[in-house]
Amino acid sequence: MVPPPAVTESVACLQQTFDGASGVTTASDHACTANVEAALNFMALLGSAAACRGGRCSQTADEIASCLVQVACNGSSSAFAFKSPGNEAQQHPILDPASLAFVLPAAAFGSMLSVKNGGPFWRQRIIHKTLPILMKTLQEQATSRSPPALGSLAVVAHMLCSVSQTHLGESKIRQMIPTLIAGLVYFSKNLDVIAQDDKGTKGLDVLSVILAALTKILRISPEDVTKFVGVIIPSLLLLSTCNASKRYTPNQLIALQCLEIVTTHPNARNAVLREKDQVTAALSVIVDHPSKIIRQAVVHVRNVWFTL
């Protein structure tokens, strides 16, 4: 696949930024990232249009989707590549600009999957082409003690959000969930860094799609996360009780929603009851949150847990 010139030029500029090229300023850093994001989003727009049109255009959609997933998961494709994060950056990817760059193609791929137009089979076709790339990456990362790579984590979350269980398959979903939960835990433990950092917008975007995917799983197939409930609840509690800036409010609301939904889990009653006192105590602390909508949500969720 030959990418549009805007993609290769923007990626080259971003590469210079990561390499610390002379003359690169914070302003140019943001500009390069914005250019790459815009170019990748344009690729995704072309890909989704080709997928919806079908016929001969389907091959173009397949190539674009595969390219985006390859770069998000592995950092490179036949079209272009990103700089691979170093070992130190892999231990704390949220703070590493090169690691955060992998979120961009994952988000572009997610925008392709979220398109509602077209025939009934194009999304299934794209998943058939891209899922093996993701699964291979997850298998390679399974033995690592580092936090999940942000690119593959974001792809996992987007697939779980936008693709039906039928298309993904139950066995593949079960292989993807540990990565999703690992990402949830990592973000909950480092939320203060993300929420207070002006550069943390991409991190918050990843957290949003993680929480959205978790909401869907808890609603549709809670049995898939039964063994993780003891980890999910403390992580959601950290995400629900953070007193961060206003831009974190949407994520906090979704975390509170998940914290309410988990109380209805049919197979984890004992695990939920074990956390009852801790959850109600922690939520009581933030009932005077500055945001009215957060206060209302906290009171509602706390009452749900009180009545268990």
Side-chain angles (χ1 to χ4, degrees):
M1 173 187 172
V2 179
V7 176
T8 53
E9 292 174 3
S10 300
V11 170
C13 180
L14 192 64
Q15 183 71 49
Q16 292 178 355
T17 303
F18 294 154
D19 290 340
S22 59
V24 175
T25 63
T26 301
S28 62
D29 184 358
H30 289 308
C32 288
T33 301
N35 288 339
V36 172
E37 184 174 17
L40 292 175
N41 287 340
F42 181 67
M43 281 182 63
L45 180 63
L46 291 177
S48 58
C52 291
R53 183 175 179 83
R56 295 180 179 179
C57 295
S58 296
Q59 185 175 356
T60 300
D62 295 344
E63 292 178 352
I64 290 176
S66 297
C67 174
L68 292 174
V69 173
Q70 285 172 352
V71 176
C73 292
N74 306 318
S76 64
S77 70
S78 59
F80 62 95
F82 283 167
K83 177 183 177 181
S84 298
N87 293 332
E88 184 176 348
Q90 291 176 7
Q91 299 300 320
H92 210 6
I94 289 177
L95 298 180
D96 178 49
S99 296
L100 287 170
F102 284 64
V103 174
L104 302 180
F109 175 68
S111 70
M112 284 187 67
L113 292 180
S114 64
V115 172
K116 300 301 182 183
N117 296 329
F121 302 116
W122 71 263
R123 189 177 286 104
Q124 184 176 358
R125 176 188 172 100
I126 285 182
I127 292 302
H128 176 73
K129 295 290 185 179
T130 57
L131 191 56
I133 301 171
L134 174 64
M135 300 313 298
K136 181 180 178 181
T137 300
L138 296 184
Q139 290 175 0
E140 293 172 350
Q141 296 175 353
T143 57
S144 173
R145 295 185 178 181
S146 300
L150 296 184
S152 53
L153 172 61
V155 173
V156 164
H158 280 294
M159 281 193 177
L160 290 174
C161 277
S162 302
V163 183
S164 68
Q165 287 180 291
T166 304
H167 291 167
L168 285 177
E170 291 186 6
S171 63
K172 293 294 190 295
I173 292 176
R174 292 194 180 98
Q175 293 177 57
M176 296 162 70
I177 284 178
T179 298
L180 184 76
I181 302 302
L184 178 73
V185 172
Y186 174 69
F187 273 83
S188 68
K189 291 181 177 179
N190 295 277
L191 182 60
D192 290 342
V193 176
I194 310 169
Q196 304 301 333
D197 188 357
D198 292 337
K199 299 179 182 179
T201 304
K202 294 304 174 189
L204 290 178
D205 290 344
V206 178
L207 178 58
S208 296
V209 72
I210 289 173
L211 290 170
L214 182 61
T215 302
K216 178 180 177 181
I217 292 171
L218 288 172
R219 285 291 193 191
I220 297 177
S221 56
E223 64 279 358
D224 289 337
V225 294
T226 299
K227 65 179 180 180
F228 297 108
V229 168
V231 176
I232 290 173
I233 293 176
S235 298
L236 289 175
L237 192 58
L238 289 172
L239 295 172
S240 299
T241 55
C242 176
N243 193 6
S245 60
K246 290 183 178 180
R247 66 178 181 175
Y248 177 65
T249 298
N251 286 323
Q252 192 167 2
L253 288 172
I254 303 176
L256 285 164
Q257 182 184 12
C258 289
L259 201 56
E260 177 186 0
I261 297 172
V262 78
T263 61
T264 64
H265 196 295
N267 304 321
R269 180 72 176 177
N270 292 335
V272 170
L273 291 177
R274 280 196 299 268
E275 302 289 342
K276 177 180 177 180
D277 292 341
Q278 181 181 358
V279 171
T280 53
L283 291 178
S284 297
V285 173
I286 61 166
V287 291
D288 59 347
H289 193 279
S291 169
K292 179 180 178 181
I293 191 171
I294 294 294
R295 291 198 303 270
Q296 293 174 334
V298 167
V299 170
H300 173 74
V301 175
R302 186 186 61 166
N303 289 341
V304 171
W305 277 83
F306 262 133
T307 56
L308 290 176

